[in-house]
Amino acid sequence: MADTISSTISPEGSLEILSQQEVNRLHDTSRSGLHDLLRSCALAVLNSGNPTDDGLALMETYPDFDIEVIQQDRGVRLQLSNAPAEAFVDGRMIRGIREHLSSVLRDIVYVYNEIQTRQRFDLATAEGTTNAVFHILRKAGTLKPSSDPSLVVCWGGHSISREEYDYTKHVGYHLGLRELDICTGCGPGAMKGPMKGANVAHAKQRRSEGRYLGVSEPGIIAAEAPNPIVNELVVMPDIEKRLEAFVRLGHGIIVFPGGVGTAEEILYLLGILLHPDNDDMELPVIFTGPADSADYFKRIDEFLVYTLGESVRNLYRIIIDDPVEVARTMRAGINDVTAYRRNRQDAFYFNWRLNVDRDFQEPFEPDHASMAALALHREQPVHELAANLRRAFSGIVAGNVKERGIRRIESHGPFRLNAEPQLMARLDELLTSFVAQGRMKLAGEYEPCYTLG
């Protein structure tokens, strides 16, 4: 039986008094209510420091956990029942965990009231979606108008080898020595390592206001609690808005070894940068890992060049087993970003100039009809091909490793893709290499979940 504590706390930081309607919605356990969402996210946050990516197992460990929002004249209080004892020290909740819990509550309430249930933002348009992303970030206090560019977005796998994890710490350390800050998906692995390394370096440099920004979404928060180093947490409503937040906030992007999810993020990023409207965009991108991870990026590089053309290599640099060179290159690249935006009088805190096409904003639900409709051929603009490849990649991954996708394959057979045979063969080779490297979670042997039409 897990140790638990029941307590009533005040949210940490700025949280406006809630209306009675908002409180009622947070209490509502129906499908239209927010209680179950708040409960699952809150439990994951309270479990911070105990790595897990199984939200169901966490719920089963703490079946009696509950959270209730209490409206009082002097503000909001949170009543916690049977919460993980590890979130407390001598009966008092750890301050960082209290901050994360407050951030989750803030963003769930704001997104529901201002984004999802009002017509304030036209989410069917690129401009409306970008404005929604901006307002969520502004509400969270994430936008820093007075700060020079310094934010490095770090992507990579949450379940990586010890060698790869240590490498991400070394890179983060050398970034921190150069007074650069870290933005990640806020979970473990390649998301935690760079923050941990930068934290030590910032202490050495006496950088008292180092930023460790975590951008997540409810489904990920519920499975992967924010790592304890995160000192700014933003919860976006879905993966597309989360990814857009990364590319508009970040002044440079580093990709560490990961798995299929990391490859999807790469396709998202390069698809945006390949758009003609972004031809002159300054955004340094580095792929890096230790020597034993070189094959991961070699395979990805080969696939990108075959599908998107040799010129795609102009958008990123691969640096293997050299944390110092990674940090020096990123520092120089962010200096170029500073000059680029200053010359154009662009904001440092949010990249308005970057064009994010609707293909990269609209949620994609992989099913047999949507997968068959994808245009997977090279007789189209490369940024459109990148968007469709990302969708195909997402669907293939879902069919092999995600519960909903697996059930669809079991019920209706493999997805049928209308694609160039050679292109799909290259994609299959890439996925097979991930299996060989142990980068795909599979219940059994890998079997392609698609056929060519």
Side-chain angles (χ1 to χ4, degrees):
M1 179 69 70
D3 291 337
T4 62
I5 288 180
S6 296
S7 180
T8 301
I9 67 167
S10 297
E12 180 75 16
S14 175
L15 185 69
E16 297 174 1
I17 294 174
L18 301 179
S19 69
Q20 191 61 51
Q21 184 182 43
E22 290 169 331
V23 172
N24 290 342
R25 181 70 65 179
L26 290 165
H27 289 173
D28 189 350
T29 58
S30 70
R31 292 186 64 181
S32 61
L34 298 176
H35 180 265
D36 289 347
L37 177 64
L38 176 62
R39 177 173 177 263
S40 61
C41 291
L43 180 56
V45 167
L46 293 165
N47 195 55
S48 178
N50 297 316
T52 178
D53 59 1
D54 190 334
L56 179 59
L58 183 59
M59 284 294 186
E60 291 174 345
T61 302
Y62 299 96
D64 298 324
F65 168 74
D66 205 359
I67 179 170
E68 183 178 357
V69 179
I70 302 173
Q71 177 71 286
Q72 298 181 338
D73 290 341
R74 291 183 296 174
V76 171
R77 299 272 283 172
L78 300 178
Q79 183 173 302
L80 305 172
S81 301
N82 303 303
E86 291 82 0
F88 299 81
V89 175
D90 298 333
R92 294 175 62 89
M93 183 175 288
I94 296 170
R95 182 171 181 176
I97 292 177
R98 187 152 57 111
E99 289 178 353
H100 291 167
L101 191 60
S102 303
S103 297
V104 167
L105 176 62
R106 175 201 66 214
D107 293 340
I108 286 176
V109 170
Y110 182 75
V111 166
Y112 179 82
N113 286 330
E114 302 298 329
I115 308 297
Q116 294 178 335
T117 60
R118 294 190 182 182
Q119 297 181 349
R120 181 180 178 187
F121 304 99
D122 185 357
L123 299 181
T125 67
E127 181 181 3
T129 300
T130 297
N131 276 329
V133 171
F134 173 84
H135 278 80
I136 295 169
L137 294 172
R138 187 175 69 176
K139 176 67 175 180
T142 300
L143 306 178
K144 310 290 184 183
S146 61
S147 299
D148 286 342
S150 66
L151 202 58
V152 181
V153 172
C154 295
W155 285 342
H158 71 276
S159 182
I160 55 177
S161 69
R162 183 71 203 190
E163 181 187 12
E164 290 172 344
Y165 174 70
D166 288 342
Y167 183 83
T168 69
K169 286 198 298 184
H170 294 321
V171 170
Y173 175 78
H174 289 285
L175 292 172
L177 289 178
R178 289 159 178 82
E179 300 190 346
L180 296 173
D181 298 304
I182 308 296
C183 174
T184 76
C186 83
M191 292 164 278
K192 181 180 179 180
M195 288 188 173
K196 199 167 186 179
N199 186 257
V200 173
H202 287 163
K204 287 187 174 183
Q205 290 285 28
R206 303 298 188 263
R207 184 178 175 85
S208 60
E209 298 184 359
R211 300 185 68 190
Y212 314 102
L213 172 59
V215 182
S216 194
E217 57 179 296
I220 293 178
I221 287 283
E224 301 172 6
N227 76 67
I229 302 171
V230 171
N231 62 6
E232 299 177 57
L233 175 63
V234 184
V235 183
M236 306 300 291
D238 53 57
I239 189 170
E240 284 76 19
K241 293 181 182 62
R242 175 178 174 242
L243 290 171
E244 182 165 350
F246 280 128
V247 297
R248 293 200 185 276
L249 281 173
H251 304 113
I253 296 179
I254 293 176
V255 182
F256 293 104
V260 289
T262 303
E264 286 184 61
E265 290 171 339
I266 290 172
L267 284 168
Y268 174 90
L269 173 62
L270 297 182
I272 289 173
L273 295 179
L274 284 167
H275 193 286
D277 290 350
N278 296 322
D279 275 347
D280 69 339
M281 183 58 59
E282 284 285 351
L283 185 66
V285 178
I286 298 173
F287 300 167
T288 189
D292 287 350
S293 305
D295 191 54
Y296 176 77
F297 290 116
K298 177 177 182 292
R299 298 283 188 153
I300 286 179
D301 178 65
E302 291 171 348
F303 178 75
L304 293 173
V305 170
Y306 177 81
T307 54
L308 305 178
E310 183 72 31
S311 62
V312 74
R313 283 181 171 150
N314 297 330
L315 300 177
Y316 58 85
R317 181 174 172 185
I318 299 175
I319 302 175
I320 299 299
D321 205 29
D322 195 340
V324 173
E325 181 61 19
V326 171
R328 286 175 176 165
T329 302
M330 183 54 65
R331 176 74 266 181
I334 289 182
N335 290 343
D336 292 340
V337 169
T338 304
Y340 175 91
R341 297 199 189 180
R342 183 169 284 132
N343 290 338
R344 291 162 177 76
Q345 297 185 328
D346 289 345
F348 288 160
Y349 56 87
F350 191 83
N351 192 347
W352 288 107
R353 183 179 290 267
L354 186 71
N355 179 76
V356 178
D357 197 76
R358 282 297 294 165
D359 283 345
F360 295 94
Q361 292 181 327
E362 294 175 337
F364 177 69
E365 181 64 33
D367 58 28
H368 287 73
S370 63
M371 292 287 279
L374 292 176
L376 299 175
H377 57 79
R378 287 178 290 174
E379 299 301 320
Q380 61 182 312
V382 287
H383 66 279
E384 294 180 12
L385 175 56
N388 286 322
L389 282 170
R390 174 181 174 253
R391 292 174 178 135
F393 213 104
S394 178
I396 291 171
V397 172
N400 276 114
V401 301
K402 295 184 179 180
E403 181 180 0
R404 182 180 296 182
I406 292 171
R407 287 180 177 176
R408 283 175 171 158
I409 298 299
E410 289 175 346
S411 298
H412 306 290
F415 293 132
R416 183 173 294 276
L417 294 169
N418 299 304
E420 295 177 6
Q422 187 61 30
L423 186 152
M424 289 310 303
R426 293 294 184 106
L427 181 54
D428 192 44
E429 289 175 6
L430 182 64
L431 289 172
T432 301
S433 74
F434 291 165
V435 174
Q437 296 168 23
R439 299 187 183 278
M440 285 184 72
K441 283 185 172 182
L442 297 173
E445 292 295 321
Y446 171 61
E447 292 185 19
C449 61
Y450 63 88
T451 59
L452 294 177

